[in-house]
């Protein structure tokens, strides 16, 4: 009887300690790994969100930039971190792109983690799309003239991308598949050189961030053709979507969101999600992110998981069915 009483007391004490641990979270600084270089739009968004989370959670949120190898360096570090909620990572759509390529054995070396099994979702942060631009030298002014010229050009129109595996590359691959015309992809070291080449007439087509793309089109050296998502962009309301040109179901949209290493207690993940949603609904946060051409996209943890899973499957199908990805 004495043993049973002791056992019950110990169990009760353990339960109370577990509840106290959950209630006390967070009781120390949270580290947000950002697998991007400092200074870019993604880094800016991460810091805006980190500041908001620090206010909501009443603790410090430290941003750690760990760029390299298409985000895999920082993501691997996050996967190997302790699953206590104090280490998080802001991932981009490259998380789903890398997983799709990995499943097709097109990554060398392969991913050192499983993009789904090794992480839990906290929530989506934002979304953004890209705009298709044509060099003014081509005479292409809309999707109809693009398709006609692409089918008449031996070897296909030249399409500048920041490299295989980028959202820009994915958009070109899906467009070529759905339009049944060839494209000659030309990889560049970054979006800046790619768009510069299109403005100078060295390549025919390029996808760019919507805000800068509209500004370039206003300058007259490129023509704005269409945007990549299935909805028009508020920054370019007069530019149609590619889907509107008859490409039913066409949609390539970039996103960012926060993950945690697998195994963080659900109550901590839910608390983090509630704080993130609150931050993303604050007017000053919306203004800062929107000014950078991105749009806050608060939502639930299951919604973000569904987005990642859907994108992995969609990206895998695009890469698998296109010789341009080889």
């Amino acid at each position: 009887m004495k043993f049973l009483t002791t056992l019950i007391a110990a169990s009760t004490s353990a339960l109370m300690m577990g509840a106290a641990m959950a209630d006390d979270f967070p009781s120390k600084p949270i580290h947000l790994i950002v697998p991007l270089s400092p200074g870019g739009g993604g880094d800016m968004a991460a810091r805006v969100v980190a500041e908001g989370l620090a206010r909501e959670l009443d603790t410090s949120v430290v941003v750690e930039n760990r760029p390299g190898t298409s985000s895999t360096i920082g993501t691997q570090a996050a996967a190997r971190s302790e699953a206590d909620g104090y280490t998080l990572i802001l991932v981009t759509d490259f998380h789903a792109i890398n997983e799709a390529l990995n499943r097709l054995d097109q990554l060398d070396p392969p991913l050192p983690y499983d993009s789904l099994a090794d992480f839990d979702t906290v929530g989506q942060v934002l979304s953004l799309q890209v705009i298709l631009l044509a060099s003014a030298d081509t005479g292409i002014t809309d999707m109809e003239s693009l398709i006609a010229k692409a089918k008449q050009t031996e070897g296909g129109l030249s399409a500048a991308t920041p490299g295989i595996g980028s959202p820009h590359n994915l958009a070109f691959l899906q467009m070529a598949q759905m339009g049944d015309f060839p494209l000659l992809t030309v990889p560049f070291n970054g979006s800046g050189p790619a768009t510069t080449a299109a403005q100078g007439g060295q390549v025919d087509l390029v996808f760019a961030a919507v805000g800068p793309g509209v500004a370039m089109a206003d300058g007259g050296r490129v023509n704005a053709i269409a945007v990549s998502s299935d909805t028009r962009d508020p920054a370019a309301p007069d530019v149609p979507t590619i889907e509107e040109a008859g490409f039913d179901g066409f949609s390539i949209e970039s996103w960012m969101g926060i993950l945690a290493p697998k195994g963080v207690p659900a109550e901590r993940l839910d608390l983090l999600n509630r704080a993130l949603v609150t931050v993303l609904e604050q007017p000053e946060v919306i203004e800062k992110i929107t000014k950078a051409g991105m749009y806050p996209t608060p939502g639930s943890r299951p919604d973000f998981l569904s987005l990642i899973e859907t994108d992995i499957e969609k990206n895998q199908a695009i890469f698998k069915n296109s010789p341009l990805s080889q």
Side-chain angles (χ1 to χ4, degrees), residues 22 26 28-29 42 54 73 76 132 136 146 164 197 204 230 291 294 316:
K28 61 181 182 180
I73 292 176
Q76 181 180 13
L132 176 60
L146 185 154
I164 291 175
D204 300 318
D230 54 5
K291 276 187 175 180
M294 302 174 284
Q316 187 173 347

Side-chain angles (χ1 to χ4, degrees), residues 1-8:
M1 187 70 180
K2 182 177 180 182
F3 171 77
L4 181 60
T5 302
T6 302
L7 181 63
I8 293 173

Side-chain angles (χ1 to χ4, degrees), residues 139-150 157 225:
I140 296 171
T141 56
D142 52 27
M143 285 299 297
E144 183 178 3
S145 58
L146 185 154
I147 295 168
K149 187 150 189 172
L157 298 171
I225 308 301

Side-chain angles (χ1 to χ4, degrees), residues 84-174:
D84 56 8
Y86 288 101
T87 299
L88 308 173
I89 180 167
L90 181 126
V91 295
T92 71
D93 45 310
F94 272 102
H95 192 74
I97 292 170
N98 287 337
E99 181 63 26
L101 289 169
N102 196 61
R103 292 183 181 186
L104 295 171
D105 295 322
Q106 291 191 24
L107 283 186
D108 184 21
L111 290 180
Y113 52 82
D114 187 298
S115 302
L116 293 175
D118 290 341
F119 297 93
D120 282 314
T121 55
V122 172
Q124 188 176 355
V125 172
L126 56 84
S127 61
L128 65 152
Q129 59 179 318
V130 287
I131 187 169
L132 176 60
L133 305 174
S135 170
D137 295 344
T138 63
I140 296 171
T141 56
D142 52 27
M143 285 299 297
E144 183 178 3
S145 58
L146 185 154
I147 295 168
K149 187 150 189 172
K151 292 186 174 183
Q152 295 168 0
T153 303
E154 185 177 354
L157 298 171
S158 56
T161 77
I164 291 175
S166 65
H168 312 67
N169 177 235
L170 268 172
F172 276 128
L173 296 182
Q174 187 174 42

Side-chain angles (χ1 to χ4, degrees), residues 96 99-100 103 115-116 308-316:
E99 181 63 26
R103 292 183 181 186
S115 302
L116 293 175
I308 297 172
E309 292 174 333
T310 299
D311 261 19
I312 290 172
E313 296 297 329
K314 180 175 73 173
N315 296 343
Q316 187 173 347

Side-chain angles (χ1 to χ4, degrees), residues 91-294:
V91 295
T92 71
D93 45 310
F94 272 102
H95 192 74
I97 292 170
N98 287 337
E99 181 63 26
L101 289 169
N102 196 61
R103 292 183 181 186
L104 295 171
D105 295 322
Q106 291 191 24
L107 283 186
D108 184 21
L111 290 180
Y113 52 82
D114 187 298
S115 302
L116 293 175
D118 290 341
F119 297 93
D120 282 314
T121 55
V122 172
Q124 188 176 355
V125 172
L126 56 84
S127 61
L128 65 152
Q129 59 179 318
V130 287
I131 187 169
L132 176 60
L133 305 174
S135 170
D137 295 344
T138 63
I140 296 171
T141 56
D142 52 27
M143 285 299 297
E144 183 178 3
S145 58
L146 185 154
I147 295 168
K149 187 150 189 172
K151 292 186 174 183
Q152 295 168 0
T153 303
E154 185 177 354
L157 298 171
S158 56
T161 77
I164 291 175
S166 65
H168 312 67
N169 177 235
L170 268 172
F172 276 128
L173 296 182
Q174 187 174 42
M175 190 171 70
Q177 289 171 22
M178 296 181 72
D180 192 26
F181 54 76
L183 285 176
L184 175 63
T185 56
V186 183
F188 284 82
N189 186 24
S191 298
T195 53
T196 298
Q199 291 181 85
Q202 284 82 43
V203 293
D204 300 318
L205 305 172
V206 70
F207 276 104
V210 176
V214 170
M216 284 185 274
D218 289 342
R221 290 185 289 175
V222 293
N223 297 323
I225 308 301
V227 292
S228 66
S229 181
D230 54 5
T231 57
R232 294 197 181 195
D233 196 287
D238 297 328
V239 179
T241 67
I242 293 175
E243 185 178 50
E244 289 177 52
F247 290 64
D248 294 338
F250 185 100
S251 180
I252 296 293
E253 189 171 65
S254 294
W255 46 260
M256 297 180 191
I258 295 177
L259 301 177
K262 191 72 174 182
V264 175
E267 63 269 19
R268 294 190 177 188
L269 293 171
D270 290 339
L271 185 152
L272 289 166
N273 174 264
R274 290 194 298 271
L276 178 62
V277 169
T278 299
V279 168
L280 294 175
E281 290 176 344
Q282 294 169 350
E284 63 272 21
V285 172
I286 294 173
E287 181 181 6
K288 288 178 181 178
I289 293 177
T290 303
K291 276 187 175 180
M294 302 174 284

